[in-house]
Amino acid sequence: MKKVTGIGGIFFKTRDPEKMKEWYNKNLGLVTNEYGSVFEFRSSDEPEKKGYSVWSPFSIDTDYFQPSEKEFMINYRVENIEKLVEELRKSGVTILDEIESYEYGKFVHILDPEENKIELWEPVDDSFTQMYEGKTTK
């Protein structure tokens, strides 16, 4: 069974998320939206399929990264999130919440041994294609 299949997103705290998005757009060419930037790529196993990862600045006072005190959080793309969570529980990994489902995928949060909060995402890439077609960083 595949577990992590790639980076789903990089989230970090900043004093001014809007200014940060503007700077990255102007200076590094990121196509930005209300959340940050969506990077589009092709699957190595199925090159005809698009995949996505997200770059997203958060306000310095966000509580989204809690219980971690770190300034960042990494989101990993996974397959079969239900089975993976079962395996993680059996291995004693701290599961912070229940799996939540949205039109663009399923999510759950865990902690690594140093209490970094990690977001696991089983994506529905077709949904991202519909939402962001022509509005991605390539």
Side-chain angles (χ1 to χ4, degrees), residues 15-113:
R15 289 182 300 277
D16 189 339
E18 292 305 315
K19 186 175 181 180
M20 192 66 76
K21 288 186 283 188
E22 289 171 16
W23 188 92
Y24 274 84
N25 173 262
K26 177 183 175 187
N27 294 291
L28 297 181
L30 269 63
V31 176
T32 56
N33 60 40
E34 63 189 288
Y35 303 108
S37 186
V38 176
F39 287 84
E40 180 180 317
F41 60 88
R42 297 290 176 160
S43 168
S44 61
D45 293 339
E46 300 176 74
E48 69 283 355
K49 288 184 72 178
K50 292 180 183 179
Y52 300 92
S53 58
V54 178
W55 171 92
S56 190
F58 279 72
S59 174
I60 196 81
D61 59 359
T62 186
D63 61 1
Y64 191 62
F65 299 4
Q66 290 181 356
S68 176
E69 297 295 323
K70 305 295 171 70
E71 301 291 315
F72 67 92
M73 182 173 66
I74 298 176
N75 168 301
Y76 292 103
R77 295 171 59 95
V78 301
E79 290 185 3
N80 198 341
I81 199 167
E82 287 90 357
K83 186 171 182 176
L84 179 55
V85 167
E86 276 181 39
E87 288 184 14
L88 294 172
R89 273 199 177 95
K90 288 176 185 173
S91 294
V93 172
T94 301
I95 312 292
L96 295 173
D97 47 22
E98 297 299 318
I99 296 170
E100 291 191 36
S101 295
Y102 300 91
E103 66 180 291
Y104 45 87
K106 297 177 185 176
F107 296 85
V108 72
H109 298 92
I110 65 173
L111 288 178
D112 74 8

